[in-house]
Amino acid sequence: MTAPVAAPDAELTGRRVEELLDRLAGQGDAATVQTAEELVRVLMDFYGAGLARVMQLVERRTGDAGPRAALLGDALVSSLLVLHDLHPEDAATRIDRALASARSQDAVTVEEFVPETGALRLLESASGGCGCGGGADRSAVEGALSCFAPEVTSVGWETRAAAPEPPLLQISRRPPTAAPVT
């Protein structure tokens, strides 16, 4: 087990951010300064929402698993943990979690994941012709993957051929030419 990293001093960090923004304001053009300030606001909003979500999930603390399962199952919290290399689950587990969160675990299976390149191949079940859709919502799957497993940099889709449908059997009354049963 590794020793915990010392937390940065909040006051010093705030001063450093202000110093960097002031330095940028003195060196850069107005558009660059506005972009930098917007970047800081977006990051603060992102982390603030993540921390708020952590607190909500910890307060709920339902089930035997406690808050851990809720924290790991939340896309925002999970993305923050991955971003800082703090997520306790491996990539394969997080990919499965992403598919489950997109409600595509039955329609999509992992064919191959290459960690060195970030390439993921998914096998999608073809619609069975029943009119129920059967396919995965690809954008939902890819969105969930970006939150739960950002090391997935490309997704290749393959479609599994649907099993041929059985022939339709017609059940009807006895043909009129049939002899009556005695």
Side-chain angles (χ1 to χ4, degrees), residues 41-62:
R41 274 193 301 278
V42 167
L43 289 173
M44 294 297 292
D45 289 347
F46 179 67
Y47 281 98
L51 290 171
R53 186 77 54 86
V54 166
M55 294 308 295
Q56 290 169 354
L57 294 170
V58 168
E59 286 172 2
R60 282 190 226 152
R61 192 179 181 145
T62 58

Side-chain angles (χ1 to χ4, degrees), residues 5-17:
V5 177
D9 180 273
E11 186 177 340
L12 290 176
T13 301
R15 284 187 204 152
R16 179 73 176 141
V17 169

Side-chain angles (χ1 to χ4, degrees), residues 10-178:
E11 186 177 340
L12 290 176
T13 301
R15 284 187 204 152
R16 179 73 176 141
V17 169
E18 286 297 324
E19 175 187 313
L20 292 171
L21 288 173
D22 288 345
R23 187 175 348 151
L24 188 60
Q27 297 172 353
D29 60 82
T32 302
V33 173
Q34 286 178 337
T35 301
E37 289 175 349
E38 182 179 356
L39 174 62
V40 170
R41 274 193 301 278
V42 167
L43 289 173
M44 294 297 292
D45 289 347
F46 179 67
Y47 281 98
L51 290 171
R53 186 77 54 86
V54 166
M55 294 308 295
Q56 290 169 354
L57 294 170
V58 168
E59 286 172 2
R60 282 190 226 152
R61 192 179 181 145
T62 58
D64 294 335
R68 184 176 196 267
L71 292 171
L72 297 181
D74 184 86
L76 177 59
V77 174
S78 185
S79 66
L80 284 169
L81 292 172
V82 171
L83 182 65
H84 293 284
D85 202 24
L86 296 172
H87 207 292
E89 296 176 334
D90 63 5
T93 303
R94 288 183 284 108
I95 289 169
D96 289 341
R97 188 181 293 277
L99 295 178
S101 76
R103 297 189 178 137
S104 297
Q105 65 269 31
D106 296 330
V108 178
T109 56
V110 175
E111 188 68 15
E112 177 185 29
F113 175 61
V114 183
E116 297 79 25
T117 64
L120 175 67
R121 280 189 316 130
L122 296 175
L123 187 58
E124 180 180 22
S125 299
S127 176
C130 62
C132 61
D137 180 351
R138 290 183 177 194
S139 64
V141 168
E142 291 174 5
L145 285 167
S146 71
C147 288
F148 286 100
E151 59 267 63
V152 174
T153 57
S154 66
V155 179
W157 291 87
E158 296 177 16
T159 304
R160 178 184 310 130
E165 291 188 39
L168 180 63
L169 299 175
Q170 298 275 336
I171 300 175
S172 63
R173 297 178 49 189
R174 218 182 288 211
T177 58

